[in-house]
Amino acid sequence: MALEERRKIVAGNWKMHKSIGEALSFVKDLIDSLSGLPRPSAVEVFLSVPFTALHAVACYTATSSLVIGAQNMHDATEGAYTGEISAAQLIDAGASFVLLGHSERRAQFFEDPAFIGRKLRRALSKGLQPILCIGESLEEREAGRIEQVLASQLIAALEGVDAVSASKIILAYEPVWAIGTGRSATPKQAEEAHAFCRSTLVGLLGVAAQVIPILYGGSVRFDNALQFLSQPNIDGVLVGGAALEVETFFQIISSYWEYELL
Ligand code: PGA
């Protein structure tokens, strides 16, 4: 499938940043900036916001093209899980997608592959679109284990997911060593990993997997975003630090918008 046939997405992940007021002020300014583009962009803009700001931001952006989601969820439907949030609660608060398996969750909160797989199946069964994050550590890369790590993360997450449901997933390749470090993968390194993910997805799920957008994440900035998009297997970016300010986030969206004109 050609790049232009797949959805193109710029997603921001605010992590543990922003009060409700700051979040609302950001989306107001972003909507103003987007409406200033001479013609609408085909790029979809996702924002992964803290739980506390979810409802307010989802209400404020309801008539806009922004897609609002959360950063995590629990796999159970409900119950005695103090401090956790269910898929149904996220949907109730206005989320349409959820990040799952971010490396910060895997490393700092000990989320194992089976747990991430259960969350993925729960999100799909509730109609919440998962953005599944996978990626290798520097140690794994240097040991030549990139493909083994990516394949095992994909296999664990997709276990028991049928091809039709899986076509609703968005995948994000985020090499752990590139997240928040200012040291992004090169476009060639990212493209190689994306091509591997694409062929693994097709191997696991069949041709339906061709529609799954694969985003690159890890120190994406205005000055490198376009280099990623111009790769055949990269369908967008997942942005952390540069998504915290409207100006830097909008610059990334506009670089994609300009690319569409080429
Ligand atoms: P970064 O974060 O852009 O700050 O590297 C990316 C992410 O964690 O998704």
Side-chain angles (χ1 to χ4, degrees):
M1 178 180 275
L3 170 70
E4 55 276 9
E5 292 168 41
R6 273 196 296 270
R7 298 165 65 190
K8 279 176 278 167
I9 296 164
V10 172
N13 172 16
W14 286 346
K15 309 190 180 184
M16 199 170 71
H17 293 285
K18 295 197 188 297
S19 64
I20 297 172
E22 289 164 345
L24 288 174
S25 151
F26 180 107
V27 288
K28 178 187 177 304
D29 292 349
L30 182 61
I31 291 168
D32 287 350
S33 300
L34 288 169
S35 66
L37 287 171
R39 64 169 179 74
S41 172
V43 171
E44 295 172 53
V45 180
F46 284 44
L47 276 177
S48 198
V49 312
F51 296 137
T52 47
L54 195 48
H55 185 58
V57 169
C59 290
Y60 188 87
T61 57
T63 55
S64 79
S65 60
L66 297 181
V67 185
I68 305 303
Q71 301 171 16
N72 186 30
M73 57 170 255
H74 196 273
D75 70 300
T77 49
E78 63 180 356
Y81 301 99
T82 301
E84 291 295 328
I85 306 241
S86 71
Q89 288 173 318
L90 292 182
I91 293 168
D92 185 42
S96 16
F97 74 95
V98 62
L99 291 185
L100 294 179
H102 191 284
S103 65
E104 287 154 12
R105 301 292 322 168
R106 292 181 194 258
Q108 297 173 34
F109 301 96
F110 312 108
E111 293 196 1
D112 62 45
F115 185 35
I116 294 162
R118 290 198 302 276
K119 292 183 191 212
L120 186 99
R121 291 193 292 284
R122 180 68 66 200
L124 287 170
S125 77
K126 293 288 180 186
L128 194 60
Q129 181 163 46
I131 299 187
L132 170 67
C133 304
I134 61 170
E136 82 288 354
S137 67
L138 189 57
E139 207 180 23
E140 290 162 339
R141 171 168 283 265
E142 286 172 348
R145 296 183 53 233
I146 306 171
E147 295 191 349
Q148 192 188 331
V149 170
L150 297 181
S152 76
Q153 290 178 352
L154 277 175
I155 290 165
L158 294 173
E159 197 196 326
V161 177
D162 64 81
V164 176
S165 307
S167 62
K168 311 242 167 33
I169 295 169
I170 295 169
L171 185 66
Y173 167 64
E174 298 204 301
V176 179
W177 47 273
I179 295 177
T181 58
R183 179 190 165 196
S184 69
T186 64
K188 184 169 173 290
Q189 286 172 323
E191 170 57 23
E192 280 168 8
H194 281 230
F196 175 76
C197 291
R198 170 82 49 217
S199 66
T200 306
L201 286 173
V202 171
L204 290 170
L205 302 162
V207 285
Q210 291 285 12
V211 300
I212 297 176
I214 309 181
L215 317 183
Y216 167 77
S219 296
V220 173
R221 303 277 179 271
F222 165 65
D223 53 358
N224 62 16
L226 199 49
Q227 296 172 333
F228 292 113
L229 179 75
S230 48
Q231 305 297 319
N233 283 291
I234 301 184
D235 307 305
V237 284
L238 177 54
V239 187
L244 289 174
E245 302 294 332
V246 176
E247 200 185 340
T248 48
F249 191 52
F250 182 66
Q251 278 178 332
I252 292 171
I253 300 166
S254 342
S255 73
Y256 277 46
W257 181 84
E258 282 164 23
Y259 177 77
E260 290 168 20
L261 299 179
L262 298 177

